[in-house]
Amino acid sequence: MQKVVIIDYGSGNLRSAAKAFERMNSELGLNFTIEVSSETDIVMRADRVVLPGVGSFPDCYTGVAKQEGLLEALNEIVITKARPFLGICVGMQLMASRGYENGETIGFNWIEGDVIAIKKSNAQVKIPHMGWNELDIMVKDHLVIENLCNIAQKPHVYFVHSFHMVPKKSDHILAVTEYGQRVTAMVGKDNMIGTQFHPEKSQKTGLQLIANFLKWSP
Amino acid sequence: MLKIRIIPCLDVKEGRVVKGVNFIDLRDAGDPVEQAKIYDIAGADELCFLDITASSDNREIIYDVVTRTAEACFMPLTDGGGIRNINNIRSLLLAGADKVSINTAAVNEPNFVKKASQKFGSQCIVVAIDAKLVFEGKWEVFTHGGRKKTGIDAIKWAQRMEEYGAGEILLTSMDRDGTRAGFDVDLTRTISDNVSIPIIASGGVGNLDHLVEGVSKGHASAVLAASIFHFGEYSISDAKAHMYNAGIPVRLED
């Protein structure tokens, strides 16, 4: 039986993420087990890996780094073994080279780029960027973001963040959203994708994305 | 473009909805989870529980309500009412709440907001402000459902809470709450224009035009309402269609 491991490194509640994966797993009639864990040997046996994250970039990085062997296990399973990976919110930001929240912190450097503050370009731009915003999909042939479109509008997803990732190469940007500036909403490279928004809180659109991720074979 | 959020609020007492939807097809209309599911399907942008349980002995019931809701609804969930310490917040977040709303405890000990936002991140700390007009252009913070005057200026308080790490302000006009006369748009606009975090307007919604005014005149980022939705007068989609037609950006369901 294939296993989806949602990495638990003390960053908030993972129950709703786990439940969203369980729901789509059963709706699609797939045969995954969904496991929430921080144990290196469980992570090493994952067929798919999900890294959530709430709070600040340095706190989340420290959270991962202080779990013995977890960073190495993630590099092994995601980079060497190329298992499908989904980073959510700060879990996505950690894929970058560096973060600039409360000083400079290194990231996993899986996608070359920096995590920087959203500019407060005018009074209407409230920080955090909080709520439902539209996805402008930049690539048309990525299986994880196909069929997300709503008939009436562009797909909407739920964001809560003050920083965003700016990848060095623009082809690593899968989707953007507009918030006084172009904000990176989704990144991808090889077997990895990352969403700045919360698919587990984005109702139908989010659940569809999770379903797509479960079916994705990069 | 970021959309204006429409947030239904359910008052929950000892695990039961005391002010909620009167849908006949609900198996258990008093179950907050059943009502939450309806709002989730209807496309509400977030959901808010206000726990009005009086006795602290029965506080734990809300954790179970939040747990069951978070397992069934894949939308952002805020829980407020009776939050006094870091452990209350931790329990709610672990149960599956995305945000907690802090009111009296913030007034009693402003540093609590600072500690909470440092610990859990600003994104999950909402400070609820109950404000009452004391004279033209001046509003004061009240606690205990508007009964207790604090002497704190609402604008300064909102700014201080932003500085202390609140990610959002849930602003209720105690003059308008329950009147169905519409938001206090002067209050909403004044606070909204004086802080850079989002404001949720609350208190006084009696019709759909009021929701529009909260945004167009009050500059709110989100509007919260209870009774207009619960009594089945208007649905979430009625509200969204009305706001959309008035030129307010909202998320429409397909």
Side-chain angles (χ1 to χ4, degrees):
Chain A
M1 192 181 276
Q2 295 226 323
K3 195 181 276 182
V4 178
V5 176
I6 300 175
I7 313 269
D8 179 12
Y9 56 99
S11 173
N13 169 55
L14 306 179
R15 199 194 310 255
S16 47
K19 284 285 163 189
F21 277 86
E22 278 165 18
R23 153 118 40 134
M24 296 329 283
N25 182 48
S26 87
E27 273 188 21
L28 295 168
L30 299 174
N31 210 12
F32 284 107
T33 53
I34 315 294
E35 193 162 342
V36 176
S37 179
S38 63
E39 284 174 43
T40 313
D41 53 332
I42 289 172
V43 174
M44 290 295 281
R45 279 182 311 213
D47 296 290
R48 273 158 215 264
V49 180
V50 181
L51 185 72
V54 293
S56 73
F57 188 103
D59 282 0
C60 286
Y61 186 84
T62 308
V64 173
K66 76 174 185 206
Q67 301 274 348
E68 205 181 324
L70 182 57
L71 251 170
E72 294 75 10
L74 279 170
N75 270 302
E76 172 71 19
I77 198 86
V78 179
I79 303 300
T80 314
K81 292 190 176 159
R83 299 282 151 79
F85 172 87
L86 167 63
I88 299 174
C89 197
V90 185
M92 168 261 213
Q93 295 180 355
L94 291 178
M95 297 161 80
S97 317
R98 282 165 304 269
Y100 287 95
E101 183 169 5
N102 309 327
E104 185 182 320
T105 312
I106 54 159
F108 300 161
N109 200 24
W110 291 348
I111 290 183
E112 214 184 329
D114 295 339
V115 175
I116 59 168
I118 298 171
K119 287 192 290 280
K120 190 167 163 46
S121 48
N122 63 60
Q124 273 72 55
V125 173
K126 300 272 187 177
I127 303 288
H129 172 221
M130 185 186 290
W132 295 83
N133 208 335
E134 297 162 344
L135 287 182
D136 285 314
I137 294 172
M138 311 300 279
V139 291
K140 292 296 168 206
D141 54 350
H142 200 295
L143 286 172
V144 178
I145 43 181
E146 64 173 16
N147 67 26
L148 291 186
C149 289
N150 171 321
I151 296 156
Q153 290 177 317
K154 292 173 185 169
H156 281 74
V157 288
Y158 190 81
F159 291 87
V160 189
H161 64 125
S162 306
F163 288 74
H164 77 128
M165 195 203 290
V166 180
K168 202 166 180 186
K169 291 193 184 128
S170 63
D171 53 352
H172 291 153
I173 300 174
L174 302 185
V176 296
T177 193
E178 183 58 37
Y179 192 56
Q181 66 175 94
R182 208 171 86 150
V183 170
T184 305
M186 206 169 159
V187 294
K189 180 185 171 185
D190 307 328
N191 57 312
M192 298 176 269
I193 53 166
T195 63
Q196 179 60 69
F197 54 89
H198 289 269
E200 78 285 13
K201 292 288 165 187
S202 297
Q203 293 175 339
K204 275 187 283 187
T205 306
L207 293 173
Q208 183 63 55
L209 186 141
I210 289 171
N212 293 347
F213 175 73
L214 288 173
K215 290 189 293 185
W216 184 40
S217 14
Chain B
M1 180 182 232
L2 186 66
K3 298 303 186 284
I4 298 297
R5 288 167 283 154
I6 299 180
I7 310 175
C9 180
L10 292 167
D11 286 2
V12 179
K13 188 177 184 182
E14 290 171 1
R16 305 289 293 171
V17 176
V18 289
K19 211 164 80 178
V21 203
N22 238 332
F23 291 118
I24 44 167
D25 54 344
L26 281 187
R27 271 174 297 149
D28 178 0
D31 182 5
V33 184
E34 292 288 311
Q35 302 222 358
K37 283 184 193 164
I38 287 194
Y39 283 124
D40 187 24
I41 292 163
D45 296 314
E46 285 188 35
L47 186 69
C48 182
F49 285 142
L50 180 63
D51 184 17
I52 54 167
T53 304
S55 151
S56 54
D57 297 346
N58 294 328
R59 269 275 134 68
E60 308 241 317
I61 301 170
I62 196 72
Y63 303 148
D64 174 59
V65 169
V66 169
T67 303
R68 291 189 294 121
T69 304
E71 286 176 354
C73 299
F74 300 101
M75 68 193 294
L77 175 65
T78 303
D79 186 86
I83 292 165
R84 292 191 182 84
N85 54 50
I86 292 289
N87 278 334
N88 294 153
I89 301 178
R90 181 179 290 117
S91 302
L92 284 165
L93 297 179
L94 285 176
D98 297 285
K99 311 180 204 178
V100 294
S101 137
I102 306 170
N103 188 341
T104 309
V107 174
N108 290 346
E109 198 208 335
N111 273 324
F112 176 50
V113 171
K114 204 182 254 179
K115 279 185 215 151
S117 64
Q118 278 166 0
K119 192 146 196 72
F120 304 107
S122 290
Q123 83 289 337
C124 67
I125 305 300
V126 181
V127 170
I129 300 178
D130 291 346
K132 225 179 204 175
L133 187 70
V134 284
F135 54 83
E136 187 65 38
K138 184 165 168 67
W139 293 267
E140 221 176 272
V141 177
F142 280 69
T143 57
H144 299 80
R147 295 190 305 275
K148 204 173 158 194
K149 200 172 153 71
T150 65
I152 302 167
D153 177 74
I155 303 168
K156 290 197 183 110
W157 179 243
Q159 289 170 328
R160 188 170 173 203
M161 289 297 97
E162 174 181 18
E163 189 193 316
Y164 280 25
E168 198 169 30
I169 286 170
L170 167 55
L171 179 65
T172 304
S173 160
M174 298 317 288
D175 300 301
R176 297 298 179 91
D177 201 33
T179 65
R180 302 173 66 85
F183 293 122
D184 180 342
V185 290
D186 293 332
L187 165 70
T188 311
R189 187 184 55 252
T190 304
I191 302 285
S192 186
D193 291 354
N194 277 286
V195 294
S196 46
I197 52 177
I199 300 294
I200 306 167
S202 154
V205 176
N207 62 49
L208 300 181
D209 286 329
H210 293 153
L211 299 177
V212 173
E213 285 169 7
V215 180
S216 61
K217 296 182 185 163
H219 302 173
S221 299
V223 287
L224 182 135
S227 51
I228 63 158
F229 296 129
H230 303 330
F231 300 122
E233 264 171 279
Y234 302 104
S235 66
I236 297 290
S237 49
D238 293 338
K240 288 197 170 180
H242 191 83
M243 291 175 84
Y244 182 80
N245 290 330
I248 308 277
V250 289
R251 178 179 65 116
L252 301 173
E253 279 296 290
D254 55 359

